[in-house]
Amino acid sequence: MEKVDRRVKRTHRLLGEALIALALEKSYDDVTIRDITERADVAYITFFRHYQDKNDLLTKLLQEMLDELERLTHEDNRATEGLLIFQHVQQYAAMYQMVLSSESTLPVRRRIRDSIAAHLIAVCTPLRNVADEMDVPLEIIAHHKAASLLALIEWWLEHNMPYPLERMAEIYNRLILDSVMHLIC
Amino acid sequence: MEKVDRRVKRTHRLLGEALIALALEKSYDDVTIRDITERADVAYITFFRHYQDKNDLLTKLLQEMLDELERLTHEDNRATEGLLIFQHVQQYAAMYQMVLSSESTLPVRRRIRDSIAAHLIAVCTPLRNVADEMDVPLEIIAHHKAASLLALIEWWLEHNMPYPLERMAEIYNRLILDSVMHLIC
DNA sequence: TATCTTTTGATAGTCAGTATAACATAAGTA
DNA sequence: TACTTATGTTATACTGACTATCAAAAGATA
């Protein structure tokens, strides 16, 4: 645990808070770096002393959020997986909305998708028998599951969460988990 | 059938060809409007006399391509649906790659997705019995199918089409169509 | 072919937003 | 207190989108 200069810590916090607040007011894409530094009461140039660009800041903000989800779903109690995911999404709804609705966050969205897919591959590879030539490749199944989950989350958020998270978890189980499991086992 | 000035027709063609050629050389996002007009040997300002911005040009290029797909899948012979789709994607691979891999085409991607979803809803609504409260809502199923299809296409293109289109059609049937049909009927 | 209409081109300029340099000052650390 | 590091100020370069104006060229029409 290295000590970080209090000023650095404060700058990071101020810039992060400013970005989130501004992205909620207008849209992520419309937020300029000047907006962020002015809202944070920080010099413009200071932004570039800490981050390469706006996406870099967003990515770092997202990191711990995703780590937390990773920790939650790692225990992998298949019965509650959907519940945990949608609880988490509801908790960080603003952040997810930001990532899923803005034009310029494709790399971030890709990283989320790929990490979900990689997780499934890691879990399933040892379980799977010798690959049948006729089977759907595991890599494609994993990609499909990850993309479907993100699409479901996106739908929920874009429609302002019309169903409670418990219902979404159930839908997730039927729509995605069941059909994926059917193909794997 | 209205007559279009030959100059207009020529300008449209030149700008469209230039965008596609340039997007293949670098990436769509890195292509500037000045690039396009220079490649097309057309005055910079002329671009704005025809299109609002780069995405507007792309959208109009995409339109007829999608109309063609719509026509093909409208007859909806479920057995050959996957085959038709992946034939079409292979034929227009460059365009699909452009749309699916660039950061700034989220609106275009959304439109494709939503039109696929709308089609499924139109086809299935009359077939479906009174909605069971426990069922997965048709709207979500449609959104899921559209997003999954796009994800599968994306995977195929990003990995440089490692399987022939016939195999992809088969995967599409098992991974997406079967599970969706299972939930609808 | 002559006339009229529309499109195009050249030029110059505005604007927003990103990014960097140099030096002075303030805040934190030990 | 002395030293180190982060921050602020100011000025500047640069890219790319977008517009205005006026002259010239190409096409449509009769």
Side-chain angles (χ1 to χ4, degrees):
Chain A
M1 200 77 187
E2 352 158 357
K3 256 188 193 171
V4 276
D5 194 308
R6 179 182 295 166
R7 289 168 297 186
V8 173
K9 199 176 145 200
R10 176 173 53 101
T11 300
H12 283 176
R13 181 176 53 78
L14 289 172
L15 290 174
E17 287 172 359
L19 173 59
I20 293 173
L22 287 163
L24 287 174
E25 292 171 19
K26 22 187 178 178
S27 82
Y28 174 81
D29 294 313
D30 289 342
V31 176
T32 67
I33 293 174
R34 178 138 273 134
D35 286 338
I36 299 172
T37 55
E38 260 163 30
R39 174 66 62 97
D41 266 317
V42 153
Y44 179 71
I45 197 180
T46 298
F47 182 93
F48 297 98
R49 289 176 171 136
H50 295 273
Y51 304 104
Q52 284 205 320
D53 51 36
K54 209 173 54 165
N55 266 1
D56 187 30
L57 169 55
L58 176 64
T59 299
K60 275 160 185 163
L61 283 175
L62 232 67
Q63 196 55 56
E64 47 184 301
M65 194 187 83
L66 291 175
D67 289 347
E68 190 181 320
L69 179 60
E70 178 94 24
R71 232 180 302 119
L72 286 175
T73 56
H74 201 272
E75 301 153 13
D76 217 11
N77 199 349
R78 198 140 292 158
T80 59
E81 179 182 319
L83 220 48
L84 288 173
I85 292 172
F86 280 91
Q87 264 166 6
H88 180 262
V89 170
Q90 191 171 59
Q91 185 180 346
Y92 295 100
M95 286 286 281
Y96 276 102
Q97 221 144 12
M98 197 186 308
V99 172
L100 294 176
S101 72
S102 77
E103 298 190 12
S104 53
T105 53
L106 186 65
V108 180
R109 201 154 53 239
R110 280 228 173 92
R111 191 137 35 86
I112 298 175
R113 184 199 67 192
D114 291 344
S115 81
I116 297 174
H119 183 251
L120 182 70
I121 290 178
V123 169
C124 291
T125 302
L127 293 175
R128 221 181 189 206
N129 304 342
V130 181
D132 185 340
E133 279 293 310
M134 298 306 293
D135 278 350
V136 178
L138 181 58
E139 199 190 340
I140 292 185
I141 296 178
H143 188 269
H144 167 78
K145 188 198 167 190
S148 300
L149 172 55
L150 282 178
L152 186 57
I153 293 172
E154 201 176 348
W155 184 92
W156 194 42
L157 294 175
E158 271 178 14
H159 292 76
N160 302 312
M161 304 189 263
Y163 301 120
L165 67 93
E166 293 82 6
R167 182 82 205 281
M168 292 307 292
E170 196 188 305
I171 291 172
Y172 168 73
N173 285 335
R174 290 214 201 169
L175 192 64
I176 300 175
L177 206 54
D178 285 357
S179 64
V180 163
M181 282 307 148
H182 179 258
L183 282 166
I184 288 180
C185 310
Chain B
M1 204 76 187
E2 352 160 355
K3 257 188 192 170
V4 276
D5 195 309
R6 178 181 296 166
R7 289 169 295 185
V8 173
K9 199 177 145 197
R10 176 173 52 98
T11 300
H12 283 177
R13 180 177 53 78
L14 288 172
L15 290 175
E17 287 172 358
L19 173 59
I20 292 174
L22 287 163
L24 286 173
E25 291 172 19
K26 20 187 179 177
S27 82
Y28 174 80
D29 294 314
D30 290 343
V31 177
T32 67
I33 291 174
R34 179 140 271 134
D35 287 338
I36 298 172
T37 56
E38 260 163 31
R39 174 67 62 98
D41 265 317
V42 153
Y44 180 71
I45 196 179
T46 298
F47 181 93
F48 297 100
R49 287 176 173 137
H50 295 273
Y51 305 103
Q52 284 205 321
D53 50 36
K54 210 174 51 167
N55 266 1
D56 188 29
L57 169 55
L58 176 65
T59 298
K60 275 159 186 163
L61 284 175
L62 231 68
Q63 195 57 54
E64 46 184 300
M65 193 188 86
L66 291 176
D67 288 348
E68 190 180 321
L69 179 60
E70 178 93 24
R71 232 179 302 118
L72 286 174
T73 56
H74 201 272
E75 300 154 13
D76 217 11
N77 199 351
R78 197 139 296 155
T80 60
E81 179 181 319
L83 220 49
L84 288 173
I85 291 172
F86 281 91
Q87 265 167 5
H88 180 261
V89 170
Q90 190 170 59
Q91 185 180 346
Y92 295 100
M95 285 287 279
Y96 276 102
Q97 221 145 11
M98 196 186 309
V99 172
L100 293 176
S101 71
S102 76
E103 298 190 12
S104 53
T105 53
L106 185 64
V108 180
R109 202 153 53 239
R110 279 228 172 93
R111 192 136 34 86
I112 298 175
R113 185 198 67 192
D114 291 344
S115 81
I116 298 174
H119 183 251
L120 182 71
I121 290 179
V123 169
C124 290
T125 301
L127 294 175
R128 223 183 188 204
N129 305 342
V130 182
D132 185 340
E133 280 293 310
M134 299 305 293
D135 278 349
V136 177
L138 181 57
E139 199 191 340
I140 292 185
I141 296 178
H143 188 269
H144 166 78
K145 186 197 167 189
S148 299
L149 172 56
L150 282 177
L152 185 57
I153 293 172
E154 202 176 349
W155 183 93
W156 194 42
L157 294 175
E158 271 177 15
H159 292 77
N160 302 312
M161 306 190 261
Y163 300 119
L165 66 92
E166 293 82 6
R167 181 85 205 280
M168 292 307 293
E170 196 189 305
I171 290 172
Y172 167 74
N173 285 335
R174 288 214 204 168
L175 192 62
I176 299 176
L177 207 54
D178 284 357
S179 64
V180 163
M181 282 307 149
H182 179 259
L183 283 166
I184 288 179
C185 310

